[in-house]
Amino acid sequence: MPTGAEGDDPDVRDDVGDDVSGDPAEARGPGRPRRFFSGSTTRAEKARAVRGLGALGGLAGFIVALMLLPTACTAGVGARDTADWFSTEPDGLSTAGVPQRSRVLAADGRTIATFFYQNRVDVPMEKIAPVLRKAVLAIEDSRFYEHGAIDVQGTLRALASNVSSGEVTQGGSGITQQYVKNLLLTQADSTEEREAAKEISAARKIRELRYAVAIEKRFPKEEILRRYLNIAYYGDGAYGIEAASRHYFSKHASELDLAEAALLAGVIRYPYAYDPTRHARAAKDRRNVVLDRMAELGWIDSAEAEKTKRQPVELDVQHTRSGCVASEAPFFCDYVQREILNNKVFGKTVKEREELLKRGGLTIRTTLDRRAQKAARKAVLAYVPAKNSAHKAAAEAMVEPGTGEIKAMVVGRELGPDGERGKTWINFAADASHGSSIGMQAGSTFKAFTLAAALDEGMPFGTRLMAPEKYTPTGFRNCEGENVGDPSASLGNAADGEGGRTFSLVTGTHNSVNTYFLALQKEVGLCDTVKMAERLGMRQANGKPLEQFPSFTLGFNAVSPLRLAAAYAAFGARGEYCEPIAIKAVTDASGKKLKVPPRKCEQVLDKDVADAVNHILSGVLTKGTARGLGLGRDAAGKTGTVDNFSAAWFAGYTPDLAAAVWVGDPRGGYRYPMTSLCLDGRCYGSVFGATIPAPIWQRSMLGALKGTDATSFHRPPSFYFSRGSGEDRVKVPDVRGMDLDDAVARLRAAGFTTDVGERVRSRRYERGTVAEMSPGPGSVEPGTTITLRPSAGPGPGGDDEDDERRRPTLPPDIPLPTNTPTLPPLPGDPAGRAPA
């Protein structure tokens, strides 16, 4: 059966007196009678035609006998039983299942995609222009309201003419018979059934006539005509009068004028031969035949007919394509399609679900926010163009906190064959079940789950842990109690921060320190961290559970942007996690509501804990690795840079919207890392989470939230400040010149750890006393290690007096400056360190 909008259906008119070949392409010059025998006709074709005429001749005899049966009282029991059989409704007669196209709507009601086997929109009679009804009746069955299911008079007249001339000169089947023929063809599920519905045989004709009798008993004439107008094929992929009117004239069937109505009425007999997009002259000639017939019947006056015949054929063709390729949100559309095809709520089998989508005339109302979709697409393509020479790609998913509604879904390529540059069938924003993607390693965005687990276990912001330069992952157990540590491994901080000192929950997160989070995960427990991620909906993109190893917090699991966005949305919703949903409601062709996947939301995290997470992650945008990329309203997020710059992420949110952005190489990030990268004129040394993904997130979020009122995060409870804000800085006492043991004791009393370095030469401080300290006197974070270097006394060739003579001095009347400016910190860290 046809599956696209541009496909042509074979001529469905091969009833008595019509084109018996079923192939209008072979028909003849439009407007000329169909000849059975011509110079090019083969012997087999001639034999088939003769058999067809013979069968029709036999059928004519049957029809004549049928006419006489009601009055032939002496005909006997056999004749009576035959009449009874013919007049009773046949088993299995169904008028249901006529394919209609389904529409996918955005949240604002705008159509974003259509699906169909046959491009058809069923409409009631009042939405079909009366002039169109007259035109069709005039050319197809002018006695429709006068005869029963079988127009015996017309059938015999046409048959006699055709048999005597050896060619088709007249049509004899009525509207009801044509409706039955179209119905049987439409309901055919296989090639065999379709061929059976078209075969030239008396048996098939008798069956159709019997169905026609039943249809006339079941429905009034107006309803039969309405159904016929909605089922007929009008050429160029348009089924039914509404779809045909929209396709050829970009207007509704109720708006057709006389010229347009006559054109469409004329197409029905041979949809290919009279297709005005292919055969404009033939279509016009056929239109004029219809106008002449309407005038002949007195349904329009001759002057009007002649005036209309002089008008040119004016088309305003509107192509309706089936599927997602032409959609303004192609990958979201593909997600919706896969949801219907994969979810058993829409049918027990894939075949049932596909037929529902492409035949059921569904109206599918989705969650898509067209403003957010447009903003996300614009942002993604601005930074990672679809056809960039580096072959990189980007994807973004937006989810509403508290509902799970998918508001936008973008892949920075067109939906299409992967072999073509700038196209892909893979939806990198979704899981494999909804887009064929196996996912991408999430990097440091997973640290948010370790942070949430720590806060859930009651750790205050000021909790400090040592973050070494290198971390050996030992002592970790998975949720099965198995030891998964690796004493031979050495995990460092790479691009995500630096170690060698203590950090708090706040500063460790802001600086995205790998070794800090490995230590924090060990403190919390690997299993508890994994369970936290699972509570927030995380799983691998291939559908399998998350893998559990010490580097879990560093994001080695391959996930989708959609899953990550939904997890972060739960933080914005104060701990309420909602499964992502794309479909809000579905109605069938009759307007009946169908069952859809239910909304699934659950409070998986205490509100206070979520508030604490929001408090810390807000600082990432103001003081941390993504500083300067805020939204001008409450927002939070986390950067992620995968090992060897193989991919980069940013996941962030407000209380109203969450989004996750991935940038990488579909060919393999480790093979094609993002270093020395140039994209559309922008060049980067190495790509971090804050380099490309975070700006994409910022730009798309600003566009999506434009004009909306800002919602604020809630302040965390005071408990979390019990050890300070996590950002407090304390004064380091000056212990230079003090005895080493006394200096160590004083620093430890002030809360610092100490380390003793090598001795240094000093003429100022006596041997054995502290000559240097690092960091020096000033404000530092609590728990900072202070390195002390003892004096080795003055070096050779000088003494203190000589040293003082060489030191510059200021005159006593010139005061020391009190407002000496300080240099600003380097970008990326308040203390002047490089960004993560």
Side-chain angles (χ1 to χ4, degrees):
M1 297 182 71
T3 58
E6 307 304 323
D8 286 302
D9 192 89
D11 183 15
V12 295
R13 293 283 310 281
D14 60 350
D15 296 305
V16 175
D18 295 331
D19 177 13
V20 296
S21 76
D23 186 359
E26 298 177 357
R28 65 282 157 267
R32 297 179 58 190
R34 163 81 180 191
R35 287 189 173 274
F36 286 122
F37 308 126
S38 66
S40 62
T41 304
T42 66
R43 180 175 298 178
E45 289 173 334
K46 291 178 180 178
R48 185 179 66 176
V50 170
R51 287 196 302 272
L53 287 173
L56 297 178
L59 177 60
F62 177 84
I63 294 174
V64 171
L66 189 64
M67 292 172 60
L68 299 176
L69 279 173
T71 59
C73 297
T74 60
V77 176
R80 183 189 65 219
D81 290 345
T82 300
D84 289 342
W85 172 84
F86 198 83
S87 62
T88 56
E89 184 166 307
D91 294 333
L93 173 61
S94 172
T95 58
V98 176
Q100 296 187 53
R101 75 187 189 193
S102 296
R103 295 184 304 149
V104 180
L105 309 182
D108 63 0
R110 176 81 170 268
T111 299
I112 59 172
T114 55
F115 292 93
F116 51 81
Y117 286 133
Q118 296 179 352
N119 180 22
R120 178 183 287 105
V121 180
D122 196 271
V123 291
M125 188 65 91
E126 59 266 23
K127 292 189 177 181
I128 301 174
V131 68
L132 182 281
R133 305 177 219 167
K134 289 181 179 181
V136 171
L137 289 173
I139 199 65
E140 293 294 328
D141 189 356
S142 62
R143 299 180 62 252
F144 174 65
Y145 286 100
E146 299 171 23
H147 62 70
I150 306 169
D151 183 6
V152 178
Q153 177 182 328
T155 299
L156 292 180
R157 182 185 67 249
L159 183 64
S161 174
N162 297 338
V163 171
S164 65
S165 66
E167 61 188 30
V168 176
T169 58
Q170 296 185 25
S173 59
I175 292 290
T176 306
Q177 293 176 55
Q178 293 182 42
Y179 168 65
V180 168
K181 175 62 187 295
N182 278 276
L183 183 64
L184 293 176
L185 278 170
T186 297
Q187 293 177 339
D189 289 329
S190 64
T191 302
E192 291 75 16
E193 291 179 3
R194 189 171 177 80
E195 291 302 319
K198 295 170 58 180
E199 68 176 349
I200 307 300
S201 70
R204 191 216 80 193
K205 242 350 248 193
I206 292 169
R207 180 183 61 165
E208 289 180 6
L209 292 174
R210 189 179 177 211
Y211 279 5
V213 171
I215 291 294
E216 290 265 351
K217 287 183 177 181
R218 185 180 293 187
F219 301 113
K221 287 284 190 178
E222 281 286 291
E223 178 61 15
I224 294 172
L225 178 59
R226 186 196 73 81
R227 287 169 176 262
Y228 173 68
L229 295 175
N230 278 295
I231 202 173
Y233 180 55
Y234 294 83
D236 205 28
Y239 293 80
I241 189 59
E242 177 68 12
S245 180
R246 295 186 194 180
H247 175 63
Y248 290 118
F249 304 113
S250 296
K251 61 171 62 174
H252 295 291
S254 61
E255 302 168 328
L256 293 169
D257 60 26
L258 175 59
E260 295 162 344
L263 183 78
L264 293 182
V267 169
I268 296 176
R269 186 174 187 187
Y270 295 118
Y272 180 86
Y274 298 131
D275 176 355
T277 65
R278 292 183 173 92
H279 309 295
R281 178 60 183 271
K284 181 179 180 181
D285 291 344
R286 177 65 174 169
R287 179 200 70 178
N288 293 344
V289 170
V290 175
L291 292 169
D292 286 339
R293 178 60 176 160
M294 294 177 75
E296 179 186 338
L297 293 168
W299 294 358
I300 60 174
D301 59 52
S302 298
E304 185 179 13
E306 290 302 318
K307 179 182 177 182
T308 307
K309 285 166 62 177
R310 290 192 293 270
Q311 295 180 14
V313 173
E314 296 181 349
L315 303 178
D316 183 6
V317 178
Q318 178 187 94
H319 292 287
T320 302
R321 301 179 66 180
S322 179
C324 298
V325 171
S327 173
E328 65 182 82
F331 290 93
F332 176 82
C333 169
D334 185 63
Y335 184 94
V336 171
Q337 177 183 209
R338 291 172 188 259
E339 174 68 10
I340 292 175
L341 296 180
N342 295 340
N343 199 316
K344 291 186 177 180
V345 74
F346 295 107
K348 293 181 180 179
T349 66
V350 173
K351 183 179 180 181
E352 285 182 19
R353 298 191 286 268
E354 184 174 9
E355 289 188 350
L356 176 66
L357 176 63
K358 296 184 178 180
R359 297 171 61 100
L362 305 180
T363 299
I364 305 164
R365 303 182 187 279
T366 73
T367 60
L368 184 78
D369 182 328
R370 295 180 61 243
R371 178 174 60 182
Q373 175 71 19
K374 183 178 180 180
R377 178 172 175 77
K378 188 174 181 179
V380 166
L381 294 179
Y383 284 90
V384 188
K387 296 182 180 181
N388 66 83
S389 59
H391 303 286
K392 299 300 183 269
E396 180 173 18
M398 289 183 160
V399 175
E400 183 176 64
T403 67
E405 293 186 2
I406 303 170
K407 294 302 181 182
M409 184 176 287
V410 172
V411 172
R413 294 191 176 182
E414 296 178 21
L415 184 64
D418 293 83
E420 296 184 28
R421 185 182 176 191
K423 294 184 178 181
T424 184
W425 290 120
I426 300 174
N427 186 350
F428 296 116
D431 287 353
S433 62
H434 287 76
S436 302
S437 172
I438 60 173
M440 295 74 68
Q441 289 187 331
S444 294
T445 59
F446 258 48
K447 291 173 181 174
F449 305 131
T450 310
L451 173 65
L455 294 168
D456 191 47
E457 294 186 5
M459 291 189 185
F461 297 145
T463 301
R464 292 185 173 274
L465 295 173
M466 182 64 187
E469 295 286 350
K470 295 292 181 179
Y471 190 95
T472 301
T474 58
F476 288 89
R477 294 185 179 276
N478 63 21
C479 292
E480 300 296 323
E482 300 167 336
N483 192 331
V484 291
D486 185 359
S488 64
S490 179
L491 302 177
N493 290 299
D496 286 303
E498 34 66 50
R501 62 186 181 91
T502 64
F503 292 87
S504 69
L505 288 180
V506 174
T507 56
T509 303
H510 290 177
N511 292 287
S512 194
V513 184
N514 284 354
T515 56
Y516 173 81
F517 271 93
L518 288 164
L520 182 62
Q521 181 181 248
K522 185 173 183 180
E523 189 78 13
V524 171
L526 172 60
C527 182
D528 287 351
T529 301
V530 172
K531 286 182 176 179
M532 174 59 70
E534 291 175 342
R535 283 158 60 184
L536 291 164
M538 294 307 302
R539 61 171 179 255
Q540 293 186 75
N542 60 14
K544 296 180 180 180
L546 298 168
E547 293 187 345
Q548 303 176 29
F549 294 100
S551 55
F552 179 89
T553 191
L554 306 184
F556 73 86
N557 275 283
V559 300
S560 70
L562 179 60
R563 284 277 159 198
L564 194 62
Y568 274 60
F571 296 141
R574 304 191 72 196
E576 183 182 23
Y577 172 75
C578 297
E579 280 279 345
I581 61 168
I583 299 173
K584 298 173 73 173
V586 176
T587 54
D588 65 15
S590 66
K592 177 184 176 183
K593 285 189 175 182
L594 303 183
K595 187 177 181 181
V596 299
R599 195 183 300 268
K600 296 180 181 178
C601 294
E602 182 182 357
Q603 192 74 31
V604 298
L605 198 61
D606 186 86
K607 290 182 179 180
D608 291 343
V609 176
D611 293 340
V613 172
N614 299 338
H615 173 78
I616 293 179
L617 292 185
S618 294
V620 173
L621 293 167
T622 57
K623 308 169 185 176
T625 54
R627 71 169 57 82
L629 292 168
L631 305 177
R633 62 170 76 194
D634 279 7
K638 183 70 189 73
T639 54
T641 307
V642 185
D643 286 350
N644 300 321
F645 302 101
S646 58
W649 290 76
F650 188 82
Y653 58 97
T654 72
D656 305 299
L657 189 64
V661 179
W662 162 83
V663 177
D665 198 310
R667 300 171 299 175
Y670 286 100
R671 184 178 179 185
Y672 300 99
M674 292 193 293
T675 54
S676 301
L677 176 67
C678 289
L679 291 171
D680 198 28
R682 292 190 182 98
C683 293
Y684 311 89
S686 298
V687 176
F688 298 83
T691 308
I692 299 177
I696 291 175
W697 175 86
Q698 181 192 46
R699 183 167 176 175
S700 62
M701 290 285 284
L702 287 172
L705 294 170
K706 185 178 180 180
T708 64
D709 294 333
T711 306
S712 299
F713 291 131
H714 290 72
R715 179 175 172 81
S718 58
F719 163 77
Y720 287 106
F721 296 92
S722 60
R723 295 187 185 177
S725 68
E727 300 173 311
D728 296 340
R729 300 178 72 84
V730 296
K731 187 176 181 180
V732 180
D734 189 352
V735 295
R736 288 174 297 182
M738 292 180 60
D739 181 78
L740 180 61
D741 292 337
D742 293 340
V744 168
R746 183 172 180 184
L747 289 171
R748 288 180 177 177
F752 299 99
T753 57
T754 58
D755 187 20
V756 178
E758 296 180 354
R759 292 178 177 270
V760 294
R761 295 287 183 183
S762 173
R763 297 186 180 90
R764 183 176 187 122
Y765 300 109
E766 295 181 3
R767 180 188 295 271
T769 64
V770 176
E772 295 179 1
M773 54 186 296
S774 177
S779 295
V780 298
E781 295 177 352
T784 298
T785 298
I786 309 298
T787 300
L788 304 178
R789 296 181 179 85
S791 170
D799 55 28
D800 288 337
E801 291 182 1
D802 292 337
D803 188 51
E804 290 296 330
R805 281 195 297 270
R806 289 192 295 271
R807 183 177 295 118
T809 59
L810 291 173
D813 57 335
I814 300 179
L816 290 172
T818 58
N819 59 346
T820 304
T822 57
L823 292 175
L826 293 174
D829 184 71
R833 288 171 284 271

